[in-house]
Amino acid sequence: MKKYFLLLSLIIIAISSCTKSDSTAVSAAQQAAIDNSLIQSYIKANNITATEDASGVYYSIITAGTGANPTVSSTVTVSYTGKLLNGTVFDSSPALTAPLSGLILGWQYGLPYINTGGTILLLIPSALGYGTTSPSASIPANSVLVFTITLTSFTTSSTGK
């Protein structure tokens, strides 16, 4: 009888551990709520005045710049620093030129708020950054990203010509 009880106990423990790993999975909505809470805490702790975009990106315009605004179809030249919420710098560049449509969604939503010469602080929820993937050892999955970006210049290709 003890053998059966022991076997039954082992089966229950095995099934329970499978259920636990499934229950620890975080849904996209739960992750969005976690990210929003982390961003709110960061804003408060660093005394930042930021606006939330409809996409969920928070932004603070440091310098507006002048002229027109880039669009997703623009090719932008920027200098930037990317950090995690704990202050760890994971990337920076004095001059990156790239199509805005090829960059992370957080940049696509945030950069159009400034003009040439403008600088913006973007607080990007994980879903609009790298999501559940870890693009490098320095950026864990589900990371909220903090970018300070200066828009040096941009060009927008004309269509239909």
Side-chain angles (χ1 to χ4, degrees), residues 85-156:
L85 290 176
N86 67 8
T88 301
V89 174
F90 60 81
D91 196 14
S92 66
S93 174
L96 168 75
T97 300
L100 187 53
S101 62
L103 301 174
I104 61 173
L105 287 173
W107 281 41
Q108 292 177 34
Y109 294 127
L111 273 182
Y113 285 109
I114 58 172
N115 313 83
T116 300
T119 301
I120 193 166
L121 174 71
L122 297 178
L123 300 160
I124 303 174
S126 60
L128 301 177
Y130 300 108
T132 59
T133 62
S134 176
S136 70
S138 59
I139 307 173
N142 294 315
S143 290
V144 171
L145 308 175
V146 180
F147 282 98
T148 304
I149 306 168
T150 299
L151 179 61
T152 307
S153 64
F154 71 92
T155 57
T156 303

Side-chain angles (χ1 to χ4, degrees), residues 1-11:
M1 186 71 151
K2 286 184 179 181
K3 287 182 186 179
Y4 292 115
F5 179 71
L6 182 60
L7 181 60
L8 182 59
S9 297
L10 289 174
I11 291 172

